[in-house]
Amino acid sequence: MLLKIITHERIVFDGEIDELVIQTTSGQIGILKDHIPLTTAMAIGVTKAKIADKYRYFATMGGIFQFKNNEATILTDVCEDGCDIDVTRANAAKNRAEARLADATAKVDADRAQAALARSLARLQAALKQ
């Protein structure tokens, strides 16, 4: 089946895959060839694509997923290939988000800090699985 991962800026991936695992707002789902048509909202998380006998990991920051006629399309604002992620930078972002959430005296937007933490964790998971 064909997978396309598209952001506003570029096509992150466009190629044949054997299996796909995505994080939706309802939980994780797997997609194989000849899956029924599906459109769903994606959550921040790791997208895993099996290509031959290897896996490739992408940090996807939400978006929309559509599957039809053995073509999977992910439209997202931000997606990073796990092998391109700067682990040091992702760890620093994780630490900043955790510090903001732990500081009870600071006026912090908890939802924003939680989202920043989720993004950094997705990046770390995708990078470390490569």
Side-chain angles (χ1 to χ4, degrees):
M1 64 185 164
L2 179 68
L3 171 63
K4 287 185 180 183
I5 303 175
I6 304 166
T7 70
H8 297 291
E9 299 173 353
R10 65 189 176 105
I11 296 173
V12 177
F13 182 85
D14 185 0
E16 290 291 323
I17 64 167
D18 300 311
E19 177 184 325
L20 183 67
V21 178
I22 64 169
Q23 186 66 41
T24 73
T25 55
S26 301
Q28 193 175 66
I29 61 170
I31 305 291
L32 296 171
K33 185 178 178 187
D34 297 325
H35 194 284
I36 62 168
L38 170 71
T39 301
T40 188
M42 292 181 64
I44 295 171
V46 175
T47 295
K48 179 171 81 169
K50 184 177 183 187
I51 305 164
D53 61 345
K54 295 186 178 186
Y55 286 94
R56 194 153 166 194
Y57 299 89
F58 302 89
T60 46
M61 307 305 161
I64 300 294
F65 172 80
Q66 183 178 41
F67 187 82
K68 184 178 177 184
N69 298 326
N70 287 320
E71 292 186 8
T73 304
I74 295 173
L75 302 174
T76 182
D77 289 334
V78 177
C79 178
E80 296 174 62
D81 192 327
C83 60
D84 295 334
I85 293 172
D86 181 340
V87 174
T88 303
R89 185 173 168 232
N91 265 321
K94 174 183 161 285
N95 292 338
R96 281 192 310 272
E98 288 174 338
R100 274 184 266 157
L101 288 169
D103 188 354
T105 62
K107 281 189 147 183
V108 71
D109 183 346
D111 291 338
R112 222 172 125 203
Q114 285 286 0
L117 180 60
R119 287 191 302 271
S120 63
L121 289 173
R123 285 183 177 105
L124 287 169
Q125 289 172 358
L128 297 175
K129 290 184 178 187
Q130 293 298 323

